[in-house]
Amino acid sequence: MQRLIDAFFNSVRAFRKLAVSEKAFQQELMLLALALPLGWFVSISWRGYALLIGAVLLLIMVEVLNTGIEAACDAFSREFNVDIQLAKDCGSLAVLISVVIVAGVWGIAIIERIIGLPI
Protein backbone atom coordinates (compact mmCIF):
# COMPACT_ATOMS: atom_id res chain seq x y z
CA MET A 1 0.00 0.00 0.00
CA GLN A 2 2.87 2.37 0.77
CA ARG A 3 4.13 2.01 -2.80
CA LEU A 4 0.76 3.23 -4.13
CA ILE A 5 0.77 6.17 -1.73
CA ASP A 6 4.31 7.11 -2.78
CA ALA A 7 3.37 6.80 -6.46
CA PHE A 8 0.37 9.08 -5.87
CA PHE A 9 2.54 11.77 -4.27
CA ASN A 10 5.11 11.47 -7.09
CA SER A 11 2.29 11.98 -9.60
CA VAL A 12 0.99 15.02 -7.73
CA ARG A 13 4.51 16.49 -7.70
CA ALA A 14 4.82 15.97 -11.47
CA PHE A 15 1.36 17.44 -12.06
CA ARG A 16 2.23 20.57 -10.07
CA LYS A 17 5.57 20.98 -11.84
CA LEU A 18 4.00 20.64 -15.29
CA ALA A 19 1.04 22.88 -14.42
CA VAL A 20 3.41 25.64 -13.35
CA SER A 21 6.15 25.38 -15.96
CA GLU A 22 4.89 23.72 -19.16
CA LYS A 23 2.83 25.91 -21.49
CA ALA A 24 1.56 23.00 -23.58
CA PHE A 25 0.37 21.18 -20.46
CA GLN A 26 -1.33 24.35 -19.22
CA GLN A 27 -3.11 24.77 -22.55
CA GLU A 28 -4.26 21.16 -22.51
CA LEU A 29 -5.59 21.54 -18.96
CA MET A 30 -7.58 24.55 -20.18
CA LEU A 31 -8.82 22.43 -23.08
CA LEU A 32 -9.94 19.77 -20.59
CA ALA A 33 -11.68 22.40 -18.46
CA LEU A 34 -13.58 23.56 -21.57
CA ALA A 35 -14.23 20.02 -22.80
CA LEU A 36 -15.86 18.81 -19.58
CA PRO A 37 -18.96 21.02 -19.86
CA LEU A 38 -18.89 21.40 -23.65
CA GLY A 39 -18.74 17.65 -24.18
CA TRP A 40 -21.97 17.34 -22.24
CA PHE A 41 -23.74 19.46 -24.85
CA VAL A 42 -22.00 17.98 -27.87
CA SER A 43 -22.51 14.31 -27.06
CA ILE A 44 -25.87 12.63 -27.07
CA SER A 45 -24.89 9.63 -24.94
CA TRP A 46 -22.73 8.76 -21.97
CA ARG A 47 -20.48 6.72 -24.26
CA GLY A 48 -20.04 9.71 -26.54
CA TYR A 49 -19.21 11.95 -23.59
CA ALA A 50 -16.67 9.44 -22.30
CA LEU A 51 -15.09 9.27 -25.76
CA LEU A 52 -14.84 13.05 -26.04
CA ILE A 53 -13.26 13.46 -22.60
CA GLY A 54 -11.10 10.37 -23.07
CA ALA A 55 -9.64 11.81 -26.26
CA VAL A 56 -8.59 14.97 -24.42
CA LEU A 57 -7.16 12.90 -21.55
CA LEU A 58 -5.21 10.85 -24.09
CA LEU A 59 -3.71 14.07 -25.45
CA ILE A 60 -2.71 15.15 -21.94
CA MET A 61 -1.17 11.73 -21.24
CA VAL A 62 0.90 11.84 -24.43
CA GLU A 63 2.02 15.39 -23.59
CA VAL A 64 3.16 14.20 -20.15
CA LEU A 65 5.15 11.36 -21.73
CA ASN A 66 6.64 13.75 -24.30
CA THR A 67 7.72 16.10 -21.53
CA GLY A 68 9.31 13.17 -19.70
CA ILE A 69 11.23 12.18 -22.83
CA GLU A 70 12.44 15.75 -23.30
CA ALA A 71 13.49 16.03 -19.65
CA ALA A 72 15.41 12.73 -19.81
CA CYS A 73 17.13 13.79 -23.03
CA ASP A 74 18.06 17.18 -21.58
CA ALA A 75 19.39 15.54 -18.41
CA PHE A 76 21.60 13.31 -20.56
CA SER A 77 23.02 16.07 -22.72
CA ARG A 78 22.12 19.54 -23.92
CA GLU A 79 24.58 19.22 -26.81
CA PHE A 80 23.14 18.50 -30.24
CA ASN A 81 22.84 14.77 -30.84
CA VAL A 82 21.02 13.13 -33.76
CA ASP A 83 19.58 10.38 -31.55
CA ILE A 84 18.33 12.86 -28.95
CA GLN A 85 16.78 14.96 -31.71
CA LEU A 86 15.00 11.85 -33.03
CA ALA A 87 13.67 10.99 -29.56
CA LYS A 88 12.35 14.51 -29.08
CA ASP A 89 10.89 14.63 -32.59
CA CYS A 90 9.14 11.29 -32.02
CA GLY A 91 7.62 12.63 -28.81
CA SER A 92 6.44 15.69 -30.69
CA LEU A 93 4.96 13.49 -33.42
CA ALA A 94 3.09 11.49 -30.78
CA VAL A 95 1.55 14.72 -29.47
CA LEU A 96 0.59 15.75 -33.01
CA ILE A 97 -1.09 12.38 -33.61
CA SER A 98 -3.01 12.84 -30.36
CA VAL A 99 -4.14 16.29 -31.47
CA VAL A 100 -5.40 14.78 -34.73
CA ILE A 101 -7.30 12.13 -32.75
CA VAL A 102 -8.90 14.79 -30.53
CA ALA A 103 -9.84 16.91 -33.53
CA GLY A 104 -11.28 13.91 -35.33
CA VAL A 105 -13.31 12.63 -32.39
CA TRP A 106 -14.67 16.08 -31.56
CA GLY A 107 -15.28 16.92 -35.23
CA ILE A 108 -17.27 13.74 -35.79
CA ALA A 109 -19.24 14.29 -32.58
CA ILE A 110 -20.10 17.86 -33.56
CA ILE A 111 -21.15 16.82 -37.06
CA GLU A 112 -23.27 13.98 -35.64
CA ARG A 113 -24.86 16.39 -33.18
CA ILE A 114 -25.68 18.87 -35.93
CA ILE A 115 -27.23 16.32 -38.25
CA GLY A 116 -28.81 14.31 -35.43
CA LEU A 117 -26.97 10.98 -35.66
CA PRO A 118 -26.03 9.04 -32.52
CA ILE A 119 -22.39 8.78 -31.50
Side-chain angles (χ1 to χ4, degrees):
M1 190 67 176
Q2 185 60 44
R3 186 179 66 78
L4 292 175
I5 293 169
D6 292 342
F8 173 78
F9 285 113
N10 292 339
S11 298
V12 169
R13 184 177 60 238
F15 181 89
R16 285 182 181 157
K17 173 104 173 135
L18 293 176
V20 167
S21 64
E22 289 293 323
K23 284 291 185 199
F25 188 73
Q26 293 167 354
Q27 291 170 346
E28 290 158 4
L29 286 179
M30 285 189 269
L31 178 64
L32 179 62
L34 290 171
L36 287 168
L38 188 60
W40 183 255
F41 294 105
V42 170
S43 68
I44 56 176
S45 71
W46 283 104
R47 275 185 306 210
Y49 182 73
L51 182 62
L52 291 171
I53 301 308
V56 176
L57 290 173
L58 173 74
L59 171 61
I60 291 171
M61 180 178 67
V62 173
E63 182 64 50
V64 168
L65 293 172
N66 180 48
T67 302
I69 290 168
E70 289 179 355
C73 289
D74 289 345
F76 179 73
S77 173
R78 296 216 182 243
E79 299 290 322
F80 177 78
N81 180 300
V82 172
D83 296 327
I84 290 175
Q85 180 184 22
L86 178 60
K88 288 182 171 189
D89 289 349
C90 287
S92 180
L93 175 60
V95 172
L96 177 62
I97 292 168
S98 299
V99 168
V100 170
I101 291 170
V102 169
V105 167
W106 277 81
I108 290 169
I110 290 168
I111 290 168
E112 287 180 338
R113 180 64 167 183
I114 291 170
I115 64 174
L117 294 175
I119 295 176

